[in-house]
Amino acid sequence: MPDNVEASTTQPQAAERESLAERFPIDVTQYSLKGEELEFMQAQTGITDEEELKKHILAVQAEAYAIFPYPCIRRFTFLNFRIGRLYGYDQLLRLGKEHKDAIFLDVGCCFGNDLRYAAMGGFPMQRMVASDLYAGYWGLGHKLFRSTQESFPVKFVPGDVFDPSHLAIASPIYTPASDPVPDLSALASLNPLRGHISAIHASAFFHLFDEAKQEHVARALAGLLSAEPGSIILGTHACALQQGERTFSFGLDDTDTHTLFCHSPESWKELWDGQVFAKGSVSVETRVTDFLGLGAEKGFYFLEWCVTRL
């Protein structure tokens, strides 16, 4: 992600969005949909003809790219359902089935793909909360999946994770929350959820920020998590084998450079177990993957991870 794509407390100006979209135009040759993901999209949209489905997806992609040209939209990685292969996914479904008040939050949800996948797996939609900086993505999610608020009744709460009126940092709780579970339908921010969320998902999200902001987000999400053993935070994002900034070249001719702060598996574990949460109060599982095929050439990997309260 370019330095000037980093999410902040102010939405980028139109000129910046247009500049990025010009430097990184949509490339339809990167479209690929097959196997389980093809079947999922066919089932969700009701469009079984592959060519018609492709046209439908491309139309929504163009609208989404006009909101902000994130690489995950340009590269069609929003069609890759990450959550089902993550550490903790089975635990997420178990929480939804065994705990009547379990709440699932997806941060940086974009179209809500992963929420829909979890709903298909059995997590109750009425106990899901979605959040993103750009509210337009949520509306396009309904367009992409041909759903409505009635057919997919997940509460969407737009907001900036660095805006304390939306999500303030609060220390993790280590005893059950004393206040009642909030009415999800009435939520105007994520703050009323402190200590009440059983599972939080954040994929392709942390790598948008520098090291300090990644720690900020980690602490903010930790304050939302229930003290109940088995509560989880899971996700995936760019990483490196050694912690630090990494500069990558992408774009039309590889002349544009993109600098990301990348945690290593070891530094990611240290962040959560001992800095964000009290040492020994959580377990952290990690796995390095190279699903974009850029590891050997550019040292660009992804980290799949799950933080579990003990």
Side-chain angles (χ1 to χ4, degrees):
M1 186 73 66
D3 290 335
N4 57 356
V5 174
E6 182 177 298
S8 66
T9 54
T10 58
Q11 295 191 7
Q13 298 299 311
E16 182 183 0
R17 292 197 301 269
E18 292 170 4
S19 173
L20 289 167
E22 182 178 349
R23 289 160 53 199
F24 304 98
I26 289 175
D27 179 5
V28 297
T29 65
Q30 297 192 47
Y31 177 89
S32 177
L33 190 60
K34 55 189 176 182
E36 181 187 3
E37 289 159 348
L38 171 61
E39 294 173 1
F40 180 84
M41 290 301 297
Q42 289 173 324
Q44 291 285 311
T45 63
I47 304 173
T48 56
D49 182 84
E50 291 188 37
E51 192 57 35
E52 287 301 313
L53 180 59
K54 179 178 179 180
K55 290 178 182 178
H56 173 69
I57 291 171
L58 291 177
V60 176
Q61 181 207 31
E63 290 189 62
Y65 210 59
I67 293 175
F68 194 77
Y70 283 116
C72 62
I73 295 173
R74 176 179 180 266
R75 298 175 62 91
F76 296 97
T77 54
F78 63 87
L79 296 175
N80 303 131
F81 296 98
R82 308 174 184 89
I83 194 168
R85 67 170 182 261
L86 296 180
Y87 285 124
Y89 178 65
D90 290 341
Q91 172 65 3
L92 163 67
L93 298 185
R94 191 176 301 113
L95 288 166
K97 292 173 181 177
E98 297 179 359
H99 297 263
K100 67 180 181 65
D101 291 326
I103 298 171
F104 174 35
L105 169 67
D106 191 6
V107 179
C109 65
C110 196
F111 303 132
N113 306 43
D114 292 306
L115 289 160
R116 294 167 192 271
Y117 191 90
M120 182 182 71
F123 200 101
M125 291 181 283
Q126 294 82 358
R127 301 210 304 268
M128 293 179 171
V129 179
S131 188
D132 201 285
L133 177 63
Y134 298 104
Y137 288 148
W138 189 248
L140 287 175
H142 281 304
K143 186 171 185 177
L144 176 63
F145 292 101
R146 302 174 81 181
S147 62
T148 64
Q149 188 59 38
E150 289 69 36
S151 65
F152 189 63
V154 171
K155 176 63 178 180
F156 176 71
V157 185
D160 187 333
V161 293
F162 299 105
D163 178 358
S165 68
H166 175 66
L167 178 58
I169 290 179
S171 297
I173 65 170
Y174 294 92
T175 57
S178 58
D179 57 323
V181 177
D183 177 4
L184 299 188
S185 67
L187 286 177
S189 78
L190 300 181
N191 287 326
L193 295 171
R194 289 175 189 158
H196 289 292
I197 300 183
S198 300
I200 302 172
H201 175 246
S203 280
F205 187 64
F206 275 91
H207 62 215
L208 299 176
F209 315 117
D210 62 24
E211 181 178 12
K213 287 183 177 179
Q214 288 191 36
E215 181 178 344
H216 178 111
V217 174
R219 292 186 181 279
L221 295 181
L224 298 177
L225 197 64
S226 167
E228 182 75 19
S231 300
I232 58 174
I233 307 175
L234 72 167
T236 181
H237 56 255
C239 76
L241 301 183
Q242 298 294 324
Q243 173 189 7
E245 289 190 342
R246 295 292 184 274
T247 299
F248 308 99
S249 297
F250 295 105
L252 294 175
D253 55 6
D254 277 0
T255 58
D256 283 298
T257 59
H258 311 259
T259 300
L260 302 176
F261 176 81
C262 295
H263 272 283
S264 67
E266 294 74 22
S267 67
W268 191 245
K269 290 179 180 180
E270 292 169 359
L271 172 65
W272 291 99
D273 184 17
Q275 297 180 43
V276 173
F277 288 102
K279 184 70 174 176
S281 66
V282 296
S283 66
V284 185
E285 296 175 282
T286 63
R287 175 171 55 219
V288 175
T289 68
D290 187 18
F291 85 95
L292 291 179
L294 299 174
E297 178 186 357
K298 298 183 177 182
F300 188 83
Y301 298 93
F302 267 70
L303 187 70
E304 297 175 358
W305 53 274
C306 182
V307 179
T308 305
R309 299 206 71 157
L310 301 176

